[in-house]
Amino acid sequence: MDRIDALRLFCSVAELESFTKAAEREAMTPGAASKQITALEQRLQARLFERTTRSVRLTDAGEALLDRVRPWLDEYDGLEQGVADARSAPAGVLRVAAPVDFGARRLLPIVTEFMNDWPGVEVRLSFADRMVDLVNEGFDVGVRIGNLPDSALIAKRLAAACMTVVASPDYLARAGRPEHPSDLAKHEVVIDRNKPAPHMLKFLRGEEEVDVRVNGRLTLNGAVAAVSAAAAGVGIACSPRWAAEEALADGRVVEVLTDWEAEQRFLWAVFPSNRYLAHRVRLFVDFLAEHFPERI
């Protein structure tokens, strides 16, 4: 077991690029962590890290070892955890990060249902409209919408996040109804800074694809806020359908360009890949996949 622990510590140092952070994760002192890695290097007769006062980086030998050890450790930990899971109910703290609007409106009801099913799990939800660093900020799962950047995280697709274009009846009576996506360039459009390219909208119809650059006097951050601004007559909003459901239902906004499909995004659950998934994390991700419809 001491050799397995040393390899697990090696993976933590490689990921975090810090003996101090890795030691904290593995519940040991930095000095003990350094000695354990030194002993591993002596056993393998290879230098695994280049150490300076400011950084810790893998050597070529370290890179080669990491490529072989990481999947083996994941498999070993999965087998070990599977035995434990079969004998006990999930328990402990589950830390989840999600966008503000979506987290409060769509994720929270599913989380509370999960907690009712598994009373031994304590959930700590954090809502933030930024790319949370799951590993360094100590989160087990992140719920994200959009195109994911390349990373070492594992991603599970939960649903298609459909977009819709909406405006108030008053605005359309005053400014006219756009009949083609290119017409949006002549309208006031509510600009949502939470989008990766807030001034660019993409539309699809069959094999036809149209990119439109839009502008407007109001810029904000938040899908629900953008729909509220559209309902107030400020302009046209292109927002996720889930954010517009209430305003559409009560008639404060109506859909436009309905024969076009605004660029589709996806809802994801992401989690660190370098360590086994705790029973509660695995159950939570599966629970999300089961409780979100195919399209939201």
Side-chain angles (χ1 to χ4, degrees), residues 56-78:
V56 177
R57 292 190 296 178
L58 285 167
T59 62
D60 290 344
E63 291 277 7
L65 179 63
L66 184 66
D67 287 343
R68 300 189 67 178
V69 165
R70 180 178 281 165
W72 180 86
L73 270 180
D74 285 345
E75 183 176 357
Y76 174 83
D77 287 338

Side-chain angles (χ1 to χ4, degrees), residues 186-206:
K186 298 176 286 187
H187 279 266
E188 283 283 336
V189 176
V190 180
I191 306 301
D192 184 355
R193 292 195 308 274
N194 280 355
K195 296 178 181 177
H199 287 273
M200 293 300 300
L201 300 178
K202 178 177 288 187
F203 292 87
L204 303 171
R205 185 172 63 182

Side-chain angles (χ1 to χ4, degrees), residues 78-159:
L79 290 171
E80 189 178 69
Q81 188 65 35
V83 173
D85 290 349
R87 300 176 57 187
S88 62
V93 177
L94 178 68
R95 298 171 177 84
V96 182
V100 177
D101 286 343
F102 182 82
R105 290 199 172 202
R106 296 301 300 270
L107 179 63
L108 184 57
I110 296 177
V111 168
T112 57
E113 188 174 345
F114 175 81
M115 295 175 69
N116 289 334
D117 286 356
W118 304 106
V121 179
E122 174 187 343
V123 180
R124 298 181 184 173
L125 271 175
S126 180
F127 296 149
D129 289 331
R130 62 182 177 85
M131 190 65 72
V132 174
D133 186 332
L134 300 185
V135 174
N136 287 324
E137 296 183 49
F139 286 98
D140 299 301
V141 181
V143 176
R144 294 177 178 170
I145 301 173
N147 299 319
L148 299 181
D150 291 337
S151 74
L153 300 175
I154 296 295
K156 183 180 180 67
R157 196 167 85 180
L158 302 175

Side-chain angles (χ1 to χ4, degrees), residues 156-171:
K156 183 180 180 67
R157 196 167 85 180
L158 302 175
C162 303
M163 304 291 286
T164 186
V165 182
V166 299
S168 72
D170 287 346
Y171 174 85

Side-chain angles (χ1 to χ4, degrees), residues 6-17 25 37 40 44 47-49 57-74 152 273-275:
L7 290 172
R8 184 173 286 117
L9 172 64
F10 161 75
C11 290
S12 290
V13 175
E15 177 194 342
L16 300 174
E17 298 183 345
R25 171 187 281 181
I37 293 298
L40 178 63
L44 298 176
R47 188 170 183 83
L48 302 176
F49 294 102
R57 292 190 296 178
L58 285 167
T59 62
D60 290 344
E63 291 277 7
L65 179 63
L66 184 66
D67 287 343
R68 300 189 67 178
V69 165
R70 180 178 281 165
W72 180 86
L73 270 180
D74 285 345
S273 62
N274 68 306
R275 297 174 64 82

